[in-house]
Amino acid sequence: HVQLVESGGGSVQAGGSLRLSCAASGHTYNYIFMGWFRQAPGKEREGVAAISTDGGSTYYADSVKGRFTISQDNAKNTVYLQMNSLKPEDTAMYYCAAGWPNSARVWTPTDYPYWGQGTQVTVS
């Protein structure tokens, strides 16, 4: 089993930055992708960024390309999401997930069996 704990959310003005962290523990060898998803009230959960834990390949949703950066520190079993130039439409609950989707399914939530509890990001 894998436990994921997110941190770093908060409230920020438009144009500001936040860095989210996701610390993994447990059977951390048991997944090959980590992703960040978000869900705003009344909307479906959507993938934002993903990274392969073996080679570091990264994937971004079009809505965040050029503004968000996903990275990992394998020694700390931690994945980060640096969010710059934040917009009000980025407001959502952000979730970290771990799993083993293939590269064509990195935005498929059901391919990630492990989820964190979420951290709120509010941009005004």
Side-chain angles (χ1 to χ4, degrees), residues 1-2 26-32 53 77:
H1 196 64
V2 176
H27 297 164
T28 56
Y29 54 83
N30 200 24
Y31 55 83
I32 61 170
T53 58
N77 290 324

Side-chain angles (χ1 to χ4, degrees), residues 78-97:
T78 299
V79 170
Y80 304 97
L81 184 67
Q82 178 66 44
M83 305 185 295
N84 298 329
S85 301
L86 283 162
K87 305 175 181 179
E89 51 263 43
D90 294 318
T91 295
M93 185 71 79
Y94 282 70
Y95 298 91
C96 173

Side-chain angles (χ1 to χ4, degrees), residues 14-45:
S17 299
L18 285 172
R19 189 177 82 153
L20 306 183
S21 300
C22 174
S25 60
H27 297 164
T28 56
Y29 54 83
N30 200 24
Y31 55 83
I32 61 170
F33 267 92
M34 290 193 75
W36 285 98
F37 290 75
R38 65 187 182 188
Q39 188 166 20
K43 294 189 177 181
E44 293 187 354
R45 189 168 296 191

Side-chain angles (χ1 to χ4, degrees), residues 40-60:
K43 294 189 177 181
E44 293 187 354
R45 189 168 296 191
E46 63 172 350
V48 174
I51 187 167
S52 64
T53 58
D54 55 357
S57 297
T58 56
Y59 304 80
Y60 296 96

